[in-house]
Amino acid sequence: MIKLITVDELRPGMFVHKLEVWWIKDKRIRNQMLISDKRQIAWIRNEGILEVWIDLDKSVQAPQKPPEPKKDIPQTPFFHEIDQAQAIFTQGKPQVLAMFNEARLGQGLDLNYTLNLVDEIAGSLTREPTALLSMARLKNHDDYTYLHSMAVCGLMISLGKKLGLDEQQQRRVGMGGLLHDVGKAAVPLEILNKPGRLTPEEMAIMRQHPIVGAQMLMEADADEDLLDITLHHHEKMDGSGYPHGLKGEEISLFSRMAAVCDVYDAVTSDRPYRKGWTPAEAMHNMLSWRGHFDIKLLQTFVRSIGIYPVGSLVRLASGRVALVVQAGEQSLLKPKVHVFWSLHAQREIKPEELDLGDSFCTDSITGAEDSSMWHNIDLNRIWALESA
């Protein structure tokens, strides 16, 4: 069978019946010729020939190199725990939603069933401290109130570990984080979910949620530490907070912790009216708000979370993108990373390990990258430093 094809379709193993040309200068090519070498195709192209007639009956199947089997990449502990954290948030959301609905309907709160959720969050942080906190930044508008409570729970436990609190105390601050905003159940939904800035009247209603939440917990016979966190997580060290304008040491340790964790999760979350800050932006801005937080506590929080948390993506001065795989030993600004993308070439490159804290390393972080832009990249493979 004779078939007309373009030169671009010509492959080794095809038999050229006739070249679609009247005159050939290159004596190395001719009619009735088996293509056995890619160079022959180049010679034909160089003659300006655009099409050739091939004889399918005389063509032979060119031997094909068998594809190399893909390596099975074992899932790294971080990405395995990401899956676990996703499951915790998925299963925990209905529990927190039910708690808020009960509070909204004026029903008594049952605090016992929240203990399992707190323990699951604590377990995830024990297995892989950074995975759940990375997942906690991913919220949509509809889920914000409920997932924010779970995120603050995780942040409180993480900070508690860094402060040296014992397991029972960690559990208490975790539960306080989970319950700190329960008073928002009494805030009208049109105010709670308003996409823009609140009016002074709406803000006055919103600022009642710590008092309302504490009243709900009192009716549920909650312990004093949980009441205190719920009532005072919006107090500030300079006395400008609410509802009681407490100052300095008048604010309990647990409430000072809650103030840091609550604000950090709020400012790093995307909202309808603004894009969430990166962890680095949040840390920088929060450290600049003099009088807002307990500065020593905030510095401990920064060390527990990291300016560039493990699992986040960063942009380097060399014009490359990298995945943060370990906090810096000498500086939080210089973590260990796996480089995987060239911004100049706009393509993936072979993963390379880089310790930005190494004295011989000349590269540095210039900014954070939006993780949502890299959803097609297999970051688990990058983490494992397997070649593409």
Side-chain angles (χ1 to χ4, degrees), residues 26-190:
D26 195 330
K27 302 301 181 183
R28 293 173 295 183
I29 58 175
R30 56 182 174 78
N31 294 327
Q32 301 293 308
M33 176 180 69
L34 179 69
I35 301 296
S36 59
D37 193 312
K38 288 184 178 180
R39 288 176 297 180
Q40 294 169 291
I41 301 173
W43 297 337
I44 293 173
R45 186 179 285 109
N46 290 340
E47 284 291 314
I49 299 172
L50 300 179
E51 295 177 317
V52 297
W53 292 91
I54 61 168
D55 189 333
L56 296 177
D57 295 329
K58 293 183 180 180
S59 296
V60 297
Q61 183 70 36
Q64 294 183 350
K65 185 179 179 181
E68 291 186 8
K70 288 188 176 180
K71 292 181 181 178
D72 241 1
I73 302 172
Q75 197 174 38
T76 58
F78 176 84
F79 284 96
H80 175 73
E81 192 56 42
I82 281 285
D83 292 340
Q84 298 291 100
Q86 176 67 62
I88 290 172
F89 278 110
T90 300
Q91 295 164 13
K93 179 193 163 186
Q95 298 179 40
V96 180
L97 178 60
M99 179 178 70
F100 272 76
N101 284 339
E102 288 172 3
R104 186 171 289 115
L105 295 171
Q107 299 173 0
L109 295 176
D110 182 2
L111 304 182
N112 290 324
Y113 76 87
T114 63
L115 291 174
N116 286 339
L117 181 54
V118 172
D119 287 342
E120 287 176 6
I121 291 173
S124 176
L125 291 168
T126 299
R127 292 189 297 270
E128 178 57 53
T130 54
L132 182 134
L133 300 182
S134 296
M135 278 297 307
R137 297 201 302 274
L138 306 177
K139 310 178 188 68
N140 60 44
H141 174 55
D142 295 332
D143 293 340
Y144 174 78
T145 301
Y146 315 113
L147 297 187
H148 171 67
S149 296
M150 296 173 65
V152 173
C153 171
L155 291 167
M156 291 281 278
I157 293 172
S158 179
L159 178 55
K161 286 177 181 287
K162 196 70 175 179
L163 289 171
L165 302 185
D166 61 37
E167 287 190 10
Q168 180 59 24
Q169 289 172 316
Q170 291 173 29
R171 196 186 207 194
R172 299 303 296 174
V173 297
M175 183 171 284
L178 194 64
L179 296 167
H180 79 289
D181 265 347
V182 70
K184 286 185 177 179
V187 176
L189 292 177
E190 59 269 21

Side-chain angles (χ1 to χ4, degrees), residues 245-284:
L246 301 182
K247 182 183 290 188
E249 296 296 323
E250 293 175 351
I251 310 168
S252 70
L253 171 63
F254 287 2
S255 290
R256 280 179 275 149
M257 292 170 61
V260 171
C261 297
D262 177 45
V263 170
Y264 174 81
D265 185 69
V267 299
T268 54
S269 300
D270 289 340
R271 305 304 302 276
Y273 46 90
R274 62 160 176 78
K275 178 80 173 170
W277 290 338
T278 66
E281 290 171 331
M283 299 302 187
H284 174 78

